[in-house]
Amino acid sequence: MERDWDTFLAPYELAVAELKIKLRGLRKQYRTSGGHVPIEFVTGRVKPVESIINKAGLRGIPLNRLEDEMSDMAGMRIMCQFVEDIPLVVEILRRRNDMKIIQERDYITNRKASGYRSYHLVIEYPVQMLEGEKKLLAEIQIRTLSMNFWATIEHSMNYKYKGQIPEDIQRRLFRAAEAAYQLDEEMSSIRDEIQEAQHMFNRKEPKKEVGQHESKDRNHP
């Protein structure tokens, strides 16, 4: 019997929609607080049917086992400005009680051979359907803006060459990945220097006494 993909993917569409609202709401809370905002922006998608079928074929996953063995049919991406923001976001998600983290994959400390860097969480997320609660798997990728730019280009290259990227381009992509990571580190260093300079300035800036201001105002012609 041919699968009804619209019905099958409906819970995943709902999960992505809910997670977008929740994660963007988290970003808004940080902005309202006036402090540093670790989340730059959030995107999400449900994997297209063709991609699901192709990946199932490559991984040897029976179509009747997709719910249990394919964890990224619902996928979220959280982009951060700095590498240091990533563990902060991961810890925030660990503390939430509306999702359960099933697996963590740290491709930042342990980058892939291609140069790919990102932090992946596989979560179990409950959605409320007409027939009741349904728990499904979803993947959250957390990365910097430069990591995301590289991964987007590398993904398009993989699609263009059908997974067989020429060796010369692979080497250039790897060098680009390392350059992107060096950019992240340099931007973090610049931010730290600016913060330290601001801290020193605030310590040295003399405090003005209110009484002195009032006295000068009274004597001003």
Side-chain angles (χ1 to χ4, degrees):
M1 180 183 296
E2 187 175 349
R3 181 183 289 272
D4 181 353
W5 287 103
D6 287 341
T7 300
F8 175 73
L9 293 176
Y12 295 89
E13 297 279 1
L14 181 57
V16 168
E18 290 183 3
L19 287 167
K20 280 182 182 179
I21 292 172
K22 290 180 177 182
L23 295 174
R24 288 170 180 170
L26 183 61
R27 178 189 60 186
K28 185 176 182 179
Q29 290 178 56
Y30 269 102
R31 287 182 173 172
T32 303
S33 71
H36 172 64
V37 183
I39 298 174
E40 186 67 11
F41 65 92
V42 175
T43 63
R45 63 93 185 102
V46 173
K47 189 184 285 292
V49 173
E50 183 181 359
S51 297
I52 293 173
I53 294 173
N54 288 341
K55 184 171 182 178
L58 290 172
R59 300 287 178 85
I61 301 173
L63 293 184
N64 63 352
R65 295 286 301 166
L66 288 175
E67 292 177 299
D68 298 316
E69 298 187 30
M70 190 173 292
S71 61
D72 64 342
M73 286 188 289
M76 305 296 302
R77 285 180 188 163
I78 300 175
M79 264 59 74
C80 306
Q81 285 188 348
F82 301 101
V83 177
E84 292 80 9
D85 292 332
I86 294 173
L88 173 59
V89 172
V90 171
E91 186 56 35
I92 291 169
L93 296 178
R94 285 180 185 144
R95 294 199 301 263
R96 295 185 69 97
N97 58 17
D98 58 347
M99 62 182 70
K100 179 181 178 182
I101 295 177
I102 303 298
Q103 189 177 50
E104 298 188 29
R105 303 177 188 135
D106 184 357
Y107 296 123
I108 296 175
T109 304
N110 306 294
R111 59 157 174 75
K112 290 187 176 182
S114 63
Y116 175 87
R117 283 186 169 92
S118 186
Y119 201 101
H120 292 194
L121 299 175
V122 175
I123 65 169
E124 182 182 74
Y125 183 77
V127 292
Q128 303 301 320
M129 306 298 291
L130 288 176
E131 59 273 19
E133 181 177 271
K134 180 178 181 63
K135 293 182 179 179
L136 51 81
L137 298 179
E139 183 179 75
I140 302 176
Q141 299 176 353
I142 309 164
R143 56 177 67 152
T144 64
L145 296 169
S146 63
M147 291 174 192
N148 188 62
F149 174 66
W150 182 91
T152 301
I153 300 300
E154 195 262 354
H155 179 77
S156 67
M157 290 292 101
N158 259 314
Y159 181 80
K160 177 179 179 180
Y161 290 104
K162 298 180 180 179
Q164 301 297 321
I165 300 177
E167 289 186 10
D168 177 59
I169 295 180
Q170 287 184 35
R171 287 193 294 269
R172 293 170 66 183
L173 282 170
F174 180 82
R175 290 196 296 268
E178 293 304 295
Y181 191 67
Q182 289 174 17
L183 174 63
D184 278 333
E185 291 187 319
E186 183 66 12
M187 296 308 291
S188 291
S189 177
I190 291 171
R191 179 200 57 178
D192 292 344
E193 288 183 21
I194 291 172
Q195 289 178 342
E196 179 62 24
Q198 185 64 47
H199 177 68
M200 294 299 294
F201 176 80
N202 291 338
R203 288 180 58 187
K204 291 179 180 179
E205 187 178 24
K207 295 183 178 180
K208 297 178 181 179
E209 296 182 9
V210 176
Q212 288 180 329
H213 281 289
E214 293 176 347
S215 177
K216 288 181 181 180
D217 290 341
R218 286 196 298 268
N219 295 328
H220 196 279

